[in-house]
Amino acid sequence: MRSIAGRQRLSTARDVLAVFTGLATASSRRIGVFCECRYKSTGSAFPGKVKLGDKTYQKDSWFNVPDSIATSIDRQLHTTNDHPISITRSIVESKFPAPAFKHYHDFFPVVSTHENFDSLGFPADHPGRSKTDTYYVNETTVLRTHTSAHELEIFQAKESDGYTISADVYRRDAIDKTHYPIFHQMEGARLWDREKVAHGDIAKAVWEDVERLPKHHMIVEDPNPPTHPERNPLQAGHAPEEAAAIATHLKRSLELMVVEIFSRAKAAAMATNPNYHDEPLKVRWVEAYFPWTSPSWELEIYWQDQWLEVLGSGVVQQELLQKAGVPSKLGWAFGLGLERIAMLLFEIPDIRLFWSQDPRFLSQFTGVSDDLDTLKRFIPFSKYPACYKDVAFWLPPASSSTTSAAGGLAPPQAFHENDIMEIVRNIGGDNVEDVQLTDEFTHPVSGRRSLCYRINYRSLERTLTNEEANRFHERVRGELVKKMAVELR
């Protein structure tokens, strides 16, 4: 999903499905100019303890959770009544009813590195483990980077045939209108057990469940076969008829979800604009590759004259189910980003708005949780002027190698763009709209590299004065020198 704004990293369906299957990485998102970091910690000094939510943790040299993140854990937007993230979650959940599905949305966000990485097969040198990407409480404890940190626990619990997980997740990231260090993912799965269906006939049991699903009238383009030996292979141990049945159940289930979301989006658009041009809903299934599902697909919807990627999905690899101790089960999985869907559903132009406590924002959704038919598009209440400031600097000269967050050696002059973002975010908070690299130069004689970033200071709630922006900017410049050893230009 790259259509709301240029760089899309947080909530793409590809990222979320990769996360569900335990393989979401920093490399699946836009990586900064360089690949590792010298600047390793942005949080409070250690040693000591830190309170996150209602729990206390021991810090160590890995700790890099800034106060702005620590104090936001209690917000829980995905369960806050009448909040657009929670409303979106409820709409999606409504298409995955009990008893087949159990909904989880109260897992605490602090998890072990084993849950977040090891149990999902992340190698020791995986870039997703780096402190440039992940918030560490200590060496063995992180703020979850994906909802998949809880999936093995759910599979092992065997509480239902299907489930959804909705949760806040945390990643050090870019600053722009579609990226935020805290966002919300939703993943789901539906499984069938060879040992429980009649005569072990998975295909027959799945087709019976397909017949029980409601019908819809949405236009669906799906030109490819259920499997393809090269593009979308059948898994070893899966019969073609099993994969075809599971694929059909998956696609029908997710199509019904899309119909629900975008029918409500259309109704909201019509309520706002009587001249809204209505077109029939149309989606298409696109073959995809996800290492832990096969076959796999992305679902795109034709919306406002363009194709938008909505989610990623596929038939769960048996290796994952074997690891969870349920080798006799087969099924499908999907993943999506709630911010992405909510921005489309409500026409919300800036991801920072989800964190606003301005009544002019929140009051627009009053009562919607109790009556989804009252859902309306967001009406912008202001557009305050931008205040751009540039910061240019030379990267520090090559020096001795340092130990990387992933446990290896970082190269000399190691540097990561996310470290700049974290400094700017810690100082400017939600008064920063975006940070963009505008120039890059390598000196022909010395070989030193110079970067220039443009910071757009703009509040969503009031006009920032030039003096305020200057104070933010001077602090940013000072912290870049102090923490990243750059030479300002």
Side-chain angles (χ1 to χ4, degrees):
M1 290 174 77
R2 302 167 187 80
S3 346
I4 279 186
R7 297 175 302 176
Q8 197 64 29
R9 223 178 0 164
L10 283 187
S11 52
T12 64
R14 181 178 298 277
D15 286 351
V16 177
L17 183 66
V19 159
F20 171 86
T21 57
L23 292 171
T25 74
S27 61
S28 70
R29 309 192 304 278
R30 186 182 61 88
I31 300 300
V33 180
F34 301 97
C35 61
E36 256 295 347
C37 68
R38 171 179 288 112
Y39 166 53
K40 294 299 181 186
S41 180
T42 59
S44 303
F46 57 86
K49 295 184 177 181
V50 61
K51 188 172 183 180
L52 300 173
D54 59 356
K55 302 181 181 181
T56 301
Y57 299 87
Q58 182 67 50
K59 296 188 295 183
D60 63 15
S61 61
W62 285 69
F63 180 77
N64 68 344
V65 181
D67 290 342
S68 59
I69 298 296
T71 56
S72 297
I73 286 176
D74 289 333
R75 290 288 303 276
Q76 298 293 293
L77 303 185
H78 63 294
T79 57
T80 298
N81 199 53
D82 289 341
H83 193 280
I85 295 294
S86 181
I87 294 166
T88 304
R89 170 189 61 77
S90 297
I91 292 172
V92 175
E93 286 181 351
S94 72
K95 306 314 294 180
F96 302 99
F101 289 87
K102 181 177 175 61
H103 304 298
Y104 300 87
H105 36 68
D106 57 358
F107 286 116
F108 194 66
V110 180
V111 300
S112 68
T113 53
H114 175 79
E115 291 170 311
N116 201 73
F117 299 122
D118 301 330
S119 69
L120 299 168
F122 281 67
D125 61 350
H126 196 285
R129 295 178 182 263
S130 172
K131 289 170 68 176
T132 58
D133 275 42
T134 296
Y135 291 112
Y136 277 82
V137 180
N138 54 52
E139 186 175 3
T140 60
T141 312
V142 297
L143 293 178
R144 64 179 164 228
T145 62
H146 45 244
T147 53
S148 300
H150 308 287
E151 69 177 29
L152 288 182
E153 175 184 350
I154 292 176
F155 281 142
Q156 291 166 347
K158 305 176 185 177
E159 293 181 333
S160 59
D161 294 328
Y163 73 82
T164 68
I165 305 174
S166 303
D168 45 329
V169 298
Y170 301 76
R171 297 184 201 166
R172 299 176 85 232
D173 213 331
I175 299 176
D176 60 36
K177 291 184 178 181
T178 61
H179 297 100
Y180 205 80
I182 312 173
F183 57 106
H184 298 79
Q185 287 183 343
M186 190 166 190
E187 66 177 56
R190 174 69 164 89
L191 304 177
W192 291 263
D193 194 331
R194 292 188 193 277
E195 297 179 352
K196 293 184 178 180
V197 301
H199 310 295
D201 192 339
I202 288 284
K204 183 174 184 295
V206 175
W207 281 117
E208 289 173 352
D209 284 341
V210 169
E211 289 304 311
R212 285 189 278 268
L213 291 174
K215 304 296 190 294
H216 65 73
H217 302 288
M218 182 171 60
I219 301 170
V220 179
E221 297 179 8
D222 190 11
N224 299 305
T227 64
H228 186 279
E230 296 174 354
R231 300 192 311 263
N232 227 359
L234 179 72
Q235 294 182 47
H238 286 191
E241 56 270 20
E242 292 174 337
I246 291 171
T248 300
H249 193 283
L250 161 69
K251 292 176 179 180
R252 175 78 63 79
S253 299
L254 297 181
E255 288 163 9
L256 290 167
M257 180 192 72
V258 166
V259 168
E260 181 72 11
I261 292 169
F262 285 91
S263 293
R264 292 191 179 279
K266 277 191 175 186
M270 292 177 183
T272 303
N273 178 14
N275 298 317
Y276 176 80
H277 177 59
D278 185 23
E279 293 184 355
L281 283 175
K282 180 169 65 173
V283 298
R284 65 185 181 190
W285 289 99
V286 179
E287 291 179 332
Y289 169 73
F290 304 117
W292 282 77
T293 59
S294 187
S296 306
W297 304 271
E298 292 171 347
L299 180 61
E300 299 180 348
I301 182 167
Y302 194 72
W303 181 251
Q304 297 183 354
D305 301 322
Q306 57 185 324
W307 285 104
L308 303 177
E309 180 190 330
V310 176
L311 55 86
S313 62
V315 178
V316 180
Q317 287 277 10
Q318 285 305 116
E319 182 179 346
L320 178 63
L321 298 172
Q322 289 166 1
K323 189 181 296 185
V326 288
S328 62
K329 293 187 177 183
L330 289 74
W332 54 254
F334 77 91
L336 56 80
L338 285 173
E339 273 84 353
R340 173 59 165 164
I341 300 299
M343 291 177 89
L344 293 171
L345 180 60
F346 294 97
E347 292 274 312
I348 293 174
D350 192 313
I351 198 169
R352 292 176 297 165
L353 278 164
F354 292 120
W355 294 90
S356 174
Q357 300 193 62
D358 191 321
R360 292 174 295 177
F361 176 73
L362 296 175
S363 64
Q364 296 193 34
F365 312 103
T366 300
V368 177
S369 287
D370 294 329
D371 184 0
L372 293 176
D373 291 336
T374 63
L375 187 151
K376 297 182 179 65
R377 279 186 171 182
F378 168 67
I379 300 174
F381 46 80
S382 61
K383 182 68 172 178
Y384 297 104
C387 190
Y388 293 100
K389 305 288 180 182
D390 289 347
V391 57
F393 50 84
W394 293 103
L395 296 178
S399 59
S400 59
S401 296
T402 57
T403 302
S404 78
L409 289 178
Q413 205 167 330
F415 184 84
H416 197 292
E417 187 176 86
N418 281 353
D419 298 317
I420 297 176
M421 302 297 172
E422 200 73 4
I423 286 173
V424 174
R425 183 179 286 114
N426 288 344
I427 292 170
D430 286 351
N431 293 307
V432 180
E433 183 173 283
D434 58 62
V435 179
Q436 300 287 340
L437 177 67
T438 58
D439 187 50
E440 185 176 1
F441 169 73
T442 300
H443 194 282
V445 177
S446 68
R448 293 185 68 187
R449 302 189 74 177
S450 171
L451 303 176
C452 180
Y453 283 86
R454 175 158 293 176
I455 304 173
N456 176 14
Y457 297 95
R458 188 199 323 244
S459 170
L460 292 165
E461 299 177 354
R462 64 184 181 85
T463 298
L464 290 179
T465 66
N466 192 54
E467 290 74 17
E468 287 177 300
N470 282 338
R471 286 196 293 271
F472 285 137
H473 201 62
E474 285 307 306
R475 289 178 61 195
V476 167
R477 287 165 56 88
E479 288 295 288
L480 286 171
V481 172
K482 177 181 176 182
K483 293 186 174 179
M484 304 188 78
V486 303
E487 180 184 337
L488 297 175
R489 295 185 62 189

